Amino acid sequence: MKPIIIGIHGLKNKPAKKLLESWWIKSIRDGLQYYNNFHDSFKFELCYWADMEYEKPLDPQMEDEDDPLYLKEPYTSFEPPKTEKEINNTKRKILDKLEIAMDNLFLREDAIEGIEKIADLTIRKMFADLDTYYHGNCSLNQNEKAKTAFRNRLAQLLKKYKNHDILILAHSMGTIISYDTLLHVIPNLKIDTFITLGSPLGLPVITKKILLELGKKIDENSQPPVPDNIRNNWFNFSDLDDNIAANYNLADDYNFNKNAMLPKDNIVNNEYIYDGQKNPHKVYGYLRTPQVAEAIYNFLNRKDSFLTEVLKRMGIR
């Protein structure tokens, strides 16, 4: 089957779909060319949901920095790093301890009373789109639940390519929408590879919401499942300086699916810089990392073994 890459963006308003889609493609190509001098074409389509929350897209021509349509961080031309930055093991150990503390705070049966309300207030204050997703209706269509609308938009796009080998390339809040869509809306639609970039899926406030929607008991041993329709790989990529992905290790937060699969966690260096300011959460930087480029390259160039092809024809894979 032909490969298709489906992208889904994250939080906040975005440039117009056509422009944003072209910037994702450029960033993917930057990484592929840097990683393996890859020049072949590939099919890509972006699941764009910002238009359900924002009346107008961000404008790259806007010069007034105080205007809500001002675009602060556009795509920039790629300059490969001269040297690969070493992983900060001290930061890694701090984040590991923070993960344990947060899990104990949110996922114990005897969790502090009112902690859920505090978490929801924090989400509401810092991440308006995420709060709308969990609790509200679409800003531009008050008759439709945001959670339902966002999931259905992605589901419809994935159904369009049901006869393709699908790679979902999800960033930030897009990883939550993708995970929920695979689990609840299209559990039987085969997904070859799932790639999460700068994902908050490891944060206990998010895993708890997943467990609650599944009707599962909440305690320190509860884990959401890897969706069964992910067939070959779930790669998770995080920069240790990316606060959204502070819980960078998803493998210990999720349970095996029927294909005995867990997320494969990778620490990367997101080198996105604009106007002298680094943003380790920016999608363009993630897409350019050699580790992400390698995962995309392998998906686009993988040749099925004879055994895999036989299993597919038998309906086993």
Side-chain angles (χ1 to χ4, degrees):
M1 290 188 287
K2 294 182 179 179
I4 174 73
I5 301 174
I6 302 294
I8 179 168
H9 67 77
L11 290 158
K12 299 182 180 180
N13 198 7
K14 304 297 176 190
K17 179 184 178 181
K18 187 175 181 180
L19 178 59
L20 184 61
E21 192 170 62
S22 71
W23 284 351
W24 275 60
I25 292 172
K26 285 182 178 180
S27 299
I28 294 170
R29 191 166 292 284
D30 285 340
L32 288 171
Q33 290 178 355
Y34 173 54
Y35 165 69
N36 200 37
N37 198 28
F38 180 90
H39 294 279
D40 294 349
S41 61
F42 56 86
K43 189 171 181 60
F44 175 87
E45 191 163 344
L46 182 69
C47 180
Y48 185 88
W49 54 269
D51 58 335
M52 291 192 280
E53 284 297 291
Y54 300 91
E55 188 173 356
K56 295 181 179 180
L58 298 180
D59 183 358
Q61 305 301 318
M62 175 62 67
E63 297 182 358
D64 182 359
E65 295 185 12
D66 295 324
D67 192 290
L69 298 183
Y70 176 74
L71 178 60
K72 296 179 181 179
E73 295 176 318
Y75 166 86
T76 56
S77 58
F78 182 47
E79 296 183 9
K82 296 179 180 179
T83 58
E84 181 70 15
K85 188 175 72 173
E86 293 184 4
I87 299 300
N88 187 336
N89 286 320
T90 300
K91 179 69 174 287
R92 187 173 183 172
K93 290 177 182 177
I94 292 171
L95 292 175
D96 288 343
K97 290 181 179 179
L98 178 63
E99 176 184 359
I100 294 172
M102 293 294 287
D103 285 349
N104 287 335
L105 189 62
F106 282 93
L107 299 177
R108 291 176 62 92
E109 288 183 279
D110 57 348
I112 299 173
E113 186 177 354
I115 192 67
E116 194 73 19
K117 290 183 179 179
I118 295 172
D120 283 339
L121 287 172
T122 302
I123 289 174
R124 187 170 300 125
K125 184 175 181 179
M126 298 180 65
F127 310 110
D129 291 337
L130 191 55
D131 179 60
T132 299
Y133 176 74
Y134 281 123
H135 304 294
N137 292 356
C138 293
S139 297
L140 302 183
N141 183 1
Q142 287 296 316
N143 295 320
E144 189 170 18
K145 290 287 185 183
K147 183 186 292 186
T148 301
F150 296 174
R151 293 177 184 180
N152 284 343
R153 178 162 290 187
L154 176 60
Q156 289 303 313
L157 181 56
L158 293 171
K159 288 177 182 178
K160 175 181 173 183
Y161 294 103
K162 64 182 180 180
N163 293 322
H164 288 63
D165 284 329
I166 299 173
L167 183 157
I168 297 177
L169 198 53
H171 177 240
S172 189
M173 180 176 158
T175 68
I176 297 175
I177 298 170
S178 300
Y179 175 89
D180 289 346
T181 302
L182 298 183
L183 198 64
H184 296 291
V185 185
I186 48 170
N188 296 316
L189 196 151
K190 297 177 183 178
I191 304 299
D192 183 280
T193 301
F194 186 33
I195 292 180
T196 47
L197 310 169
S199 177
L201 279 169
L203 298 178
V205 65
I206 303 299
T207 57
K208 187 170 185 177
K209 288 186 180 298
I210 294 171
L211 290 168
L212 288 172
E213 186 169 356
L214 288 169
K216 293 198 172 188
K217 181 181 179 181
I218 306 297
D219 60 38
E220 57 268 33
N221 297 315
S222 300
Q223 291 183 318
V226 173
D228 285 333
N229 46 353
I230 301 175
R231 298 306 177 98
N232 283 315
N233 291 295
W234 176 355
F235 296 112
N236 178 57
F237 297 94
S238 306
D239 186 304
L240 293 181
D241 291 327
D242 182 351
N243 293 330
I244 302 299
N247 190 338
Y248 66 90
N249 185 4
L250 300 186
D252 61 358
D253 296 311
Y254 286 78
N255 206 354
F256 294 97
N257 70 359
K258 67 181 182 181
N259 302 310
M261 186 182 304
L262 286 177
K264 300 172 184 176
D265 296 300
N266 300 268
I267 297 173
V268 299
N269 292 314
N270 186 332
E271 300 288 351
Y272 177 85
I273 298 177
Y274 181 70
D275 200 21
Q277 297 294 316
K278 183 177 179 181
N279 183 350
H281 183 62
K282 200 68 181 177
V283 68
Y284 312 130
Y286 271 118
L287 293 172
R288 293 166 170 171
T289 61
Q291 297 91 337
V292 174
E294 180 181 13
I296 295 173
Y297 177 86
N298 288 339
F299 166 77
L300 293 174
N301 290 274
R302 186 180 64 242
K303 302 298 183 183
D304 286 331
S305 67
F306 174 76
L307 177 59
T308 301
E309 184 61 32
V310 170
L311 291 175
K312 280 186 175 181
R313 292 180 181 181
M314 294 173 64
I316 299 175
R317 292 294 299 271

